[in-house]
Amino acid sequence: MPRTAVFETSMGTFKAELYTEQMPITCGNFIDLAEKGFYNGIYFHRVIPNFMNQFGCPYAKDSNSTRAGTGGPTPSSTFLGCDGTSHTRTAKDGGIPDECTAKITNDVGTLSMANTGQPQSGGSQFFINVAHNSFLDWFDRSSPSAHPVFGKVTENLSLVKEISNVRTNNDNPLKPIQMITVTIV
C-alpha cells in the first residue's frame, strides 16, 4: 500500500511518496522511526546546492552539534518492513540491511539512504536529491557509492530546492532549519 510522508519544517511543508512495495525494508525502517517521533525536532545538518539536503541524525537535535552526521537509531531495536517481515537494527550503530534491489536512480526529488559506505551502515539518515546524482546509484559502477532510493517528493519540491540554497558554514545552514514533524499518512 503506498504511503506518504509529510515533512513539516521551519521553512514550510513538503510531501513525499514512499516506495513501500519496491523498498519494504528501507521504507519500514523510515516509517517506524517517523511514527515513533524520532525525526521530530532534528535539524538539517548538511545542505549543498545542486546536490542534496541531508537529515536524520539524532545528534542534530542540537543545530550546532559537531557530532551531527554520525548518529543513528537505537542499536538492536526492531521494526517491521512494509512486507510484514521483522528486522533487527545492527548492534553497533542501528544500521539496517542494505536494500540494493530496485534500480531507482537518485534523481531530483528522490529520498535516498545515507550510509558510510560500509555494509548495513544506513539507519536513520537520508538525503533528498536536488540534482540527478546517478553516481550515487547502487547499480552505477562509476563510483563506489551505493545509496538506495526509497521515495520521491510529490509536493513542494521548490521548498526542498530552497533549503539547499540557504547560506551555510561547512554545509551546515547558518540559520538552522528544523524538522518539526514527519507524519506518515
Side-chain angles (χ1 to χ4, degrees):
M1 171 175 78
R3 305 289 300 270
T4 298
V6 180
F7 299 87
E8 182 188 349
T9 78
S10 55
M11 287 182 63
T13 300
F14 63 94
K15 295 180 181 181
E17 174 190 0
L18 301 177
Y19 299 151
T20 55
E21 291 183 18
Q22 301 102 312
M23 303 295 289
I25 298 170
T26 307
C27 287
N29 173 66
F30 176 81
I31 291 167
D32 175 70
L33 294 171
E35 288 181 340
K36 289 178 177 170
F38 181 91
Y39 294 114
N40 300 349
I42 294 178
Y43 291 88
F44 282 89
H45 67 271
R46 188 174 177 222
V47 299
I48 304 173
N50 301 309
F51 183 36
M52 60 88 207
N53 302 331
Q54 190 167 337
F55 171 79
C57 176
Y59 297 126
K61 283 200 176 198
D62 172 359
S63 63
N64 296 309
S65 174
T66 58
R67 295 180 70 192
T70 65
T74 304
S76 301
S77 55
T78 60
F79 67 96
L80 281 181
C82 292
D83 59 0
T85 305
S86 180
H87 299 276
T88 301
R89 296 179 179 101
T90 61
K92 179 182 176 191
D93 56 10
I96 64 169
D98 297 318
E99 196 167 25
C100 296
T101 54
K103 288 188 175 184
I104 308 167
T105 191
N106 278 274
D107 207 348
V108 176
T110 55
L111 282 60
S112 190
M113 282 302 295
N115 60 52
T116 66
Q118 297 299 310
Q120 296 188 0
S121 61
S124 59
Q125 294 186 52
F126 65 96
F127 56 92
I128 308 164
N129 291 291
V130 295
H132 187 191
N133 296 313
S134 61
F135 69 96
L136 298 176
D137 294 341
W138 64 266
F139 50 90
D140 181 325
R141 299 296 175 223
S142 68
S143 81
S145 294
H147 299 278
V149 169
F150 66 97
K152 186 167 186 175
V153 174
T154 56
E155 190 174 302
N156 210 0
L157 181 61
S158 60
L159 172 63
V160 175
K161 290 180 177 180
E162 183 181 346
I163 290 170
S164 74
N165 285 301
V166 299
R167 293 186 54 215
T168 63
N169 180 24
N170 294 322
D171 300 329
N172 190 14
L174 288 176
K175 181 179 179 185
I177 303 165
Q178 188 178 45
M179 186 64 64
I180 299 166
T181 60
V182 177
T183 306
I184 306 298
V185 294

